Amino acid sequence: MERLICIHGHFYQPPRENPWLEEIEQQDSAYPYHDWNERITSECYAANAASRILNPDGKIVDIVNNYSKISFNFGPTLLDWLKEKSHEVYQAILDADRESQLRFSGHGSAIAQAYNHMIMPLANRRDKYTQVVWGIRNFERHFGRSPEGMWLPETAVDLETLDIMADCGIKFTILSPYQASRVRKIGARAWRDVSGGRIDPTMPYELRLPSGRRIAIFFYDGPISRAVAFEGLLVNGENFARRLLSGFSDERSWPQIVNIATDGETYGHHHRFGDMALAYAIHYIESNRLARFTNYAEYLEKYPPTYQVEIFENTSWSCAHGVERWRSNCGCNSGGHPGWNQEWRTPLREALDWLRDTVAPLFEERASHFLKDPWAARDDYIHVILDRSPENVELFLNRHSIRRLTEEEKVTVLKLLELQRHTMLMYTSCGWFFDELSGIETVQVIQYAGRAIQLAEELFKTPIEENFLNLLEKAKSNIPEHRDGRHIYEKFVKPAVVSWEKLAAHYAVTSFFEEYPETARIYCYVVERENHQVFETGKARLLVGKAKMTSQITYESALMTYGVLHFGDHNLNGGAREFQDDDSYRNTVEELSGAFRNADFPEVIRLLDKHFGESTYSLRTLFRDEQRKILNTLLESTLSEVEAIYRQIYERNAPMMRFITSLGIPTPKAFYAAAEFVVNSNLRHAFEDDGIDIERIRALLEEAKLEGITLDATTLEYTLRKSIERMAERLFSNPMDISLIKRLEGIIEITHSLPFMVNLWKPQNIYYEILQTTYPEVKKKADQGDENAMSWVECFTSLGDKLYIWVPR
């Protein structure tokens, strides 16, 4: 009988954007990357799009797209981010799905996911339905086809959710073997108990739903999946392959499907080089014809279920207590803080449930004045989320409005639907998964709640925040300084809130450091400048202006005035308010500019308070990325001065330091600090330089070695990697440039002697592409005696050796 294997990867990251800006702000914990999405893309999503297969000598013999041979789902919000921020990886994922359709009888390997990873059994029916519909529509927009299967977040399941999925055309899902209760052959009467993970996972099962609908269930192989995720199986690709093959049994009489399921991030992020183990396991099995790879949809078409199954409702793959991990202190946690508890989970969910249930009737009543069916409009709103162009928004409003809406009414409708979007985003499962209320994932869901509260209070003119905080206050942090949910809200959510005043102040302050055009984009806002006056006295500058600001999300706009006084360093003082009238604005400009011309700065500050209120804005209140950029600019000259001092200390005392080191005596800390700073700085500058001086780098490395200096591996690796990638991209544009090949080879050779590993993933990809395209033609000319071609082949082959790529001789 046929032996088939299906490997499923659940690729997902929680939404991380600032809810008011619709962009991810800098996350220092992801350094040297901008944020965790960017870091995990490098370690996992990109790696699986171009994974290496090595020969026994450790040389790359093939680069493959793992996605084309496995089953996978990408979280919709993650896939949206990849399309915007990492289009090359995004395109590789789409290409893999198209390729898999050719390989697997017309069935693509990608499946959908419930939209924002909500724990479905804990959701109300409306949210379940919208989550399924949004997941399907998002999938269709990206992959250009309807999904056949859908991944349930944390495999958390109940019959109502499965019935909604089946009603929406979903044919199958994937569950843990521990979620199966009993089975029987279709047509038979007697059931067989398979609880405790005893179900046979090598076939699909039919689940008959209370409505009469049916859906197929695949149960993944628990022991093999656990070995992949937690037991180090990915250390060796051949061992991984053999473990997969161990799932078959000669005692079975049907075409067996050995299927496993893990987080996709297992292959590269959780386990470094896990993508390569996956690629080699597939290669090993295919090249030795030990089994055939398939996906769930192909198998289901060829071998429909012959057995029925019943499941345990309200269960999941990551909580031994069902779905309690997302609503109680059940004991499931990361295990990293044994003294902590998760009692906070219950009041957090209760607070969010209260918010959802409080705004739902208000939404329905208000929206019914404009929309034929407010809830149907919410279900269809995914089309706007995926395409916020004015033309598409207008089409959406025309479909759902009961009459032609005014511009103000359009804003109201969009704000109502954004309110609903955020009341679903606030249930993203990661908010409860980890150990601490103040953790980044939990703060994120509370921020979504904060945005929902802001919209609700603006729309319904009723106080909501205080009642919400009274409930949230019952959630207690394990960290004394964070106290409780109310304190965390005030500390981490309130500062992230964006008002028109804060946006205008941000625009005004950053205008001192960035040249904006007349119409500028600041995250999801468009700023149209109407008046902008700058006055200077010595180092001090005063800015007064007026601009129209419009949200690209809700189309709401405001005409704002602003004034900022800059003293020439990090000290700024400013304010903003809505435009009153021309006379008031003219008076503001005249009073401020008059006091400024007289260099009466205390009076200028008093007038700023008078005209813009006492809510002052400064560098402290800027959005995080611009704040960091401006601080780096301001610190540049100061850091240069510090570097010069350190350099002077180091250069004067370097001989003494080397002598001390040679005697085996510890270097005085002051000397060592200067040496460490200067040598790392020199190396970083050398690595950044497009015209990399190889000999200088060698000398600096030798200097560091002689003086026992610890190198800043993270920063230096990333800096050198980016320089090598730029050089490789130039080679890709001009692959016949022998001098560039030689320079690149010299730099790659240096990486072999560094005390840290440099990621050569991108230059290897580029080299491999040239090897497949340019090399064969040039090699043919070289074989015919063309001296230039022979020289190129020799240099190119030598570079391949340095990049650990096997080149056919």
Side-chain angles (χ1 to χ4, degrees), residues 178-335:
Y178 292 91
Q179 294 176 273
S181 170
R182 59 181 187 168
V183 299
R184 68 180 177 188
K185 195 169 182 64
I186 291 175
R189 299 184 66 180
W191 290 93
R192 178 167 56 88
D193 178 48
V194 292
S195 60
R198 290 176 294 137
I199 193 168
D200 191 321
T202 62
M203 66 168 78
Y205 295 82
E206 178 185 271
L207 178 63
R208 296 183 182 177
L209 298 159
S211 65
R213 299 185 184 94
R214 302 177 185 190
I215 192 167
I217 308 288
F218 287 90
F219 295 91
Y220 62 78
D221 187 300
I224 301 178
S225 299
R226 186 165 53 252
V228 170
F230 304 113
E231 296 171 6
L233 186 56
L234 297 181
V235 168
N236 182 285
E238 186 173 335
N239 290 346
F240 180 20
R242 293 187 184 281
R243 186 65 188 274
L244 287 168
L245 294 168
S246 72
F248 294 110
S249 172
D250 293 335
E251 296 180 5
R252 299 187 182 107
S253 59
W254 59 86
Q256 301 167 60
I257 178 170
V258 170
N259 79 103
I260 65 169
T262 66
D263 286 336
E265 292 74 22
T266 301
Y267 303 107
H269 174 55
H270 299 318
H271 301 286
R272 193 175 187 189
F273 305 125
D275 64 290
M276 293 171 62
L278 173 60
Y280 189 82
I282 294 170
H283 166 76
Y284 180 86
I285 291 168
E286 287 188 328
S287 61
N288 290 289
R289 299 185 178 181
L290 300 172
R292 186 175 74 82
F293 282 86
T294 186
N295 62 26
Y296 293 114
E298 182 192 47
Y299 186 93
L300 192 60
E301 180 187 52
K302 291 185 174 183
Y303 309 110
T306 56
Y307 279 76
Q308 282 179 259
V309 69
E310 289 186 350
I311 62 167
F312 291 112
E313 287 195 84
N314 302 317
T315 56
S316 67
W317 76 345
S318 51
C319 178
H321 316 92
V323 292
E324 293 305 307
R325 185 170 194 155
W326 297 276
R327 66 177 172 189
S328 72
N329 183 29
C330 67
C332 290
N333 54 56
S334 70

Side-chain angles (χ1 to χ4, degrees), residues 443-482:
V443 168
Q444 183 72 37
V445 301
I446 300 174
Q447 284 191 343
Y448 289 130
R451 175 60 174 151
I453 289 167
Q454 182 191 44
L455 288 164
E457 291 188 338
E458 289 174 1
L459 286 162
F460 310 129
K461 310 301 181 189
T462 184
I464 291 174
E465 185 177 67
E466 185 57 31
N467 289 333
F468 173 78
L469 291 178
N470 287 337
L471 293 170
L472 192 62
E473 191 174 19
K474 297 175 184 176
K476 305 301 180 183
S477 170
N478 290 288
I479 301 172
E481 68 181 273
H482 295 321

Side-chain angles (χ1 to χ4, degrees), residues 325 327-333 340-350 432 434-437 471-472 474-478:
R325 185 170 194 155
R327 66 177 172 189
S328 72
N329 183 29
C330 67
C332 290
N333 54 56
W340 288 6
N341 69 73
Q342 287 73 50
E343 293 290 353
W344 53 267
R345 289 173 177 161
T346 300
L348 173 61
R349 182 163 289 276
E350 288 174 348
W432 289 264
F434 298 101
D435 297 359
E436 165 55 18
L437 181 64
L471 293 170
L472 192 62
K474 297 175 184 176
K476 305 301 180 183
S477 170
N478 290 288

